[in-house]
Amino acid sequence: SPEFRAVVVGHVESDGHTWYVLRCSLAGVKLLEWRSQHRLVHLRDDLYTETKATLGDRYPEFFAETPFARKGGLPGTTGRLKGWFESFAKAMSQGQLPPALVAKAL
């Protein structure tokens, strides 16, 4: 089965904002790799909030040990994002996430 990976490799400062750099890949029959940059507010609004709402009571099953980053870009944000995306990728690769949420992540 395909394996999805999303690794937060760091962050950059640009135009007064912090942008978190993700290195993503999807391995199956063929390997696809890409990078993207996102602000914390966009990751929270576009992926975290929907993930939590979609999974409901099942959310802690996947993310109890890897909480999402706190608001405000406090110290430790990159580390929290790394853990959260590792958990997301694992759940996705194991077929535990609904297709609409997988599509949003890709």
Side-chain angles (χ1 to χ4, degrees), residues 5-55:
R5 291 180 160 252
V7 179
V8 179
V9 294
H11 63 275
V12 295
E13 302 293 329
S14 179
D15 297 324
H17 299 287
T18 303
W19 296 79
Y20 294 90
V21 181
L22 280 80
R23 186 180 66 227
C24 303
S25 64
L26 184 60
V29 174
K30 186 176 183 180
L31 176 65
L32 304 171
E33 295 180 303
W34 65 96
R35 284 182 178 246
S36 60
Q37 293 184 14
H38 305 274
R39 289 186 52 209
L40 180 58
V41 66
H42 299 145
L43 292 171
R44 175 177 279 108
D45 292 349
D46 296 340
L47 191 59
Y48 164 73
T49 301
E50 182 147 349
T51 300
K52 193 166 183 180
T54 300
L55 294 177

Side-chain angles (χ1 to χ4, degrees), residues 70-93:
R70 296 181 180 114
K71 290 184 179 180
L74 302 171
T77 296
T78 301
R80 281 181 171 248
L81 287 174
K82 283 181 181 181
W84 192 87
F85 273 98
E86 285 174 12
S87 294
F88 186 93
K90 182 178 178 182
M92 184 173 159
S93 293

